[in-house]
Amino acid sequence: MSLELQGKMRQYLLGHVTEAEREEVETTILTDDKAFEELEIVESELVDDYLAGKLSPAERTGFENSFCDNAERQQDIQFSRVLHRYVNAEAIASTRQPGPAATFWQRTWVRPAALGLAFVIIVLGTVWYVRSRREETTTFVAATLTLSAGNRGEGNNSTSVKLPSNVDAVKLNLQLPAPVAGSYKIRLVRPSGEEELKIAGVHDQLLTVIIPADQISRGAYAFKLYQIRSDGSEERISGSYLFSVE
Amino acid sequence: MRRHSDTTQEDFDRLLAWLDEDRDEAGKKYEKIRTRLIKIFACRGCCEPEDLADETINRVTARLSEILLNYQGDPVVYFYGVARKVHLEYVRRQDRSVPEKVTIDRNDDEERMYECLDRCMETLPEKNQQFVIRYYQDEKKAKIDNRNLLAAEMGIAVNALRIRAHRIRKLLKECVTSCMTNIAVN
């Protein structure tokens, strides 16, 4: 399938075509099996690009206007988001699998290193245990948020969090759009302004933020996520994590 | 093969006979036309593409006696002409009414979908599981490099790789949809 046709289909899906071009594409996909399959491929790629924040502002507007109006397409977007979440989790898991045990233990440096590592694990385990015991005394309401292209005012992409009066804090797990790389900074956008929050942890492509219940009230919120590179510079990750407290 | 509820079996048989002399082939052509009409209506931003595709087929079926007398050409082209009129009427109706916004319970649905995807991945052959993970992992430039490498390893062109990924993704999506329906029913 030619790159020209791919480009035409992309423009068609974004609604950036004239009536004549639209008829040309539609007649082609009705009569040509390969062209129809190509349209489906371009459609999936467009959804992936949208979720990855790779569309230009004009493409994003076209996508949101012409792409999100029916349940099946909402499910396509949801499926793409879930597929990428799954694939990234699996990719991380597969890189953590150990090599063959016998050859590994035969290496001379491995045993002292393992003893040192065991010591570190015991110390970290103790710290984790003490912290987790301390955390058990706090009651949370938890929610997982995914990166959304929308703004704080757009409620349809927002996750709602019910905050009963008897909980101590809101624990929000932010699904990172890509495997963990470097460190992160998070800013909470409130109706009254923005503030940087402390990150409680980053684990398995989830970044955890804990907000004490007395520091958050009913309303719409958004998180902005920044990636801190090894040279200290920071880059805003496109999109926001939207949620509302009820 | 789904027949529209307003269409009699006799009308439907005549429609199939018009599409192809061989009934099995006619059935395939019918499904193909319906699927593609649904896609076209969805691409035109319609909220109920399936209903509009069925309306199109229904109108063609109702006019079949006239079509058989006066029209000579590819049935697909005739369907497309009717689909455009159906769309025009739909747009006029939309101008007079407030469109209903589709909302999905994202958190619950996505967790169920993730579980279903996990199960569906297990049904794929091991090599296809690995392929999906390699094809869709990484971002931006790394993704492009990764796909070029994958295509080279498999000895196929990048476009053939896209088609392969799409076919597996389509199977997975069908499996996930069916899994979620089963969960909803149970």
Side-chain angles (χ1 to χ4, degrees):
Chain A
M1 201 52 58
S2 73
L3 285 174
E4 191 194 351
L5 185 60
Q6 281 176 28
K8 209 176 266 183
M9 286 183 168
R10 193 173 168 96
Q11 294 309 309
Y12 167 72
L13 288 164
L14 291 168
H16 295 167
V17 285
T18 62
E19 187 57 34
E21 287 167 333
R22 181 157 76 169
E23 282 180 21
E24 187 194 337
V25 171
E26 288 176 344
T27 310
T28 309
I29 61 172
L30 270 170
T31 52
D32 183 339
D33 292 352
K34 285 186 180 169
F36 180 70
E37 186 169 49
E38 181 62 35
L39 181 84
E40 290 185 317
I41 296 171
V42 174
E43 196 175 17
S44 300
E45 289 172 345
L46 206 50
V47 172
D48 292 346
D49 287 350
Y50 172 74
L51 291 174
K54 285 159 70 179
L55 298 186
S56 69
E59 286 177 327
R60 176 170 289 273
T61 306
F63 181 94
E64 285 167 354
N65 288 341
S66 65
F67 221 81
C68 309
D69 279 350
N70 66 64
E72 195 187 335
R73 290 202 143 172
Q74 289 281 353
Q75 279 167 1
D76 285 343
I77 294 170
Q78 212 171 21
F79 179 74
S80 172
R81 190 162 41 226
V82 170
L83 177 66
H84 284 87
R85 199 176 122 201
Y86 179 89
V87 163
N88 286 330
E90 287 296 307
I92 291 169
S94 66
T95 57
R96 287 182 185 154
Q97 279 174 6
T103 47
F104 183 73
W105 285 105
Q106 281 160 6
R107 293 176 190 167
T108 52
W109 57 270
V110 168
R111 289 183 192 197
L115 283 172
L117 185 64
F119 176 74
V120 171
I121 288 170
I122 289 166
V123 171
L124 290 178
T126 308
V127 170
W128 172 81
Y129 178 74
V130 169
R131 280 193 179 177
S132 64
R133 293 292 296 169
R134 204 181 294 160
E135 198 174 90
E136 274 173 16
T137 61
T138 309
T139 53
F140 295 111
V141 57
T144 300
L145 310 181
T146 49
L147 196 58
S148 159
N151 299 314
R152 191 167 55 85
E154 296 170 6
N156 56 321
N157 287 329
S158 175
T159 300
S160 81
V161 179
K162 287 198 172 65
L163 184 62
S165 56
N166 58 345
V167 299
D168 300 315
V170 182
K171 187 176 188 176
L172 296 162
N173 294 311
L174 279 56
Q175 179 74 48
L176 296 173
V180 174
S183 56
Y184 297 90
K185 186 174 100 174
I186 194 93
R187 290 185 72 81
L188 176 66
V189 184
R190 296 173 178 272
S192 56
E194 280 186 35
E195 64 175 304
E196 186 175 342
L197 291 189
K198 192 180 162 196
I199 294 169
V202 183
H203 181 65
D204 279 351
Q205 223 178 318
L206 284 177
L207 183 151
T208 305
V209 180
I210 295 171
I211 308 173
D214 58 3
Q215 289 177 25
I216 196 158
S217 55
R218 277 185 68 168
Y221 296 86
F223 280 119
K224 289 180 182 174
L225 180 64
Y226 298 82
Q227 187 167 26
I228 316 283
R229 297 199 195 93
S230 52
D231 63 1
S233 62
E234 57 185 56
E235 182 188 12
R236 165 94 194 271
I237 292 177
S238 178
S240 301
Y241 294 89
L242 308 178
F243 71 102
S244 61
V245 174
E246 293 175 358
Chain B
M1 198 180 349
R2 223 172 81 167
R3 176 169 63 88
H4 194 277
S5 56
D6 294 346
T7 309
T8 64
Q9 185 62 48
E10 192 186 341
D11 288 342
F12 190 63
D13 289 344
R14 286 173 67 216
L15 178 72
L16 291 182
W18 181 48
L19 293 179
D20 202 290
E21 288 173 0
D22 181 285
R23 196 170 166 91
D24 288 345
E25 278 304 308
K28 285 179 195 163
K29 284 184 181 173
Y30 173 86
E31 285 299 341
K32 207 182 262 187
I33 290 168
R34 185 171 181 273
T35 305
R36 292 173 193 195
L37 288 175
I38 291 170
K39 181 63 76 184
I40 286 170
F41 285 121
C43 289
R44 288 183 173 220
C46 303
C47 297
E48 299 104 14
E50 294 199 1
D51 291 351
L52 297 176
D54 287 339
E55 173 63 25
T56 304
I57 293 169
N58 211 27
R59 285 191 195 184
V60 173
T61 311
R63 279 187 221 155
L64 206 54
S65 303
E66 188 190 324
I67 295 167
L68 291 171
L69 281 175
N70 302 320
Y71 178 77
Q72 283 185 331
D74 188 345
V76 170
V77 176
Y78 196 92
F79 275 99
Y80 183 56
V82 175
R84 286 172 56 203
K85 284 183 187 149
V86 168
H87 179 255
L88 206 62
E89 290 168 22
Y90 167 83
V91 171
R92 286 183 192 138
R93 279 200 306 275
Q94 291 300 301
D95 286 345
R96 290 196 294 267
S97 63
V98 180
E100 204 176 304
K101 192 81 189 170
V102 176
T103 53
I104 288 176
D105 187 350
R106 257 173 70 160
N107 267 359
D108 287 355
D109 269 7
E110 285 200 9
E111 288 321 305
R112 276 198 293 271
M113 197 180 262
Y114 193 95
E115 276 175 38
C116 284
L117 179 61
D118 195 21
R119 287 185 215 169
C120 291
M121 283 289 282
E122 291 296 318
T123 66
L124 291 180
E126 175 71 23
K127 66 173 185 176
N128 284 355
Q129 291 179 28
Q130 291 307 316
F131 175 79
V132 168
I133 289 163
R134 284 196 63 191
Y135 187 83
Y136 287 107
Q137 73 177 328
D138 295 327
E139 285 302 314
K140 295 180 181 169
K141 188 172 184 304
K143 184 178 266 178
I144 295 165
D145 291 345
N146 186 43
R147 288 180 183 177
N148 287 336
L149 182 67
L150 193 55
E153 278 176 20
M154 294 173 74
I156 58 175
V158 172
N159 200 44
L161 193 79
R162 290 170 70 233
I163 294 169
R164 188 186 158 97
H166 168 70
R167 289 179 182 167
I168 300 174
R169 180 176 175 148
K170 204 171 169 180
L171 281 178
L172 274 175
K173 187 163 180 281
E174 283 165 9
C175 173
V176 165
T177 305
S178 155
C179 166
M180 289 184 70
T181 308
N182 288 340
I183 289 175
V185 168
N186 297 325

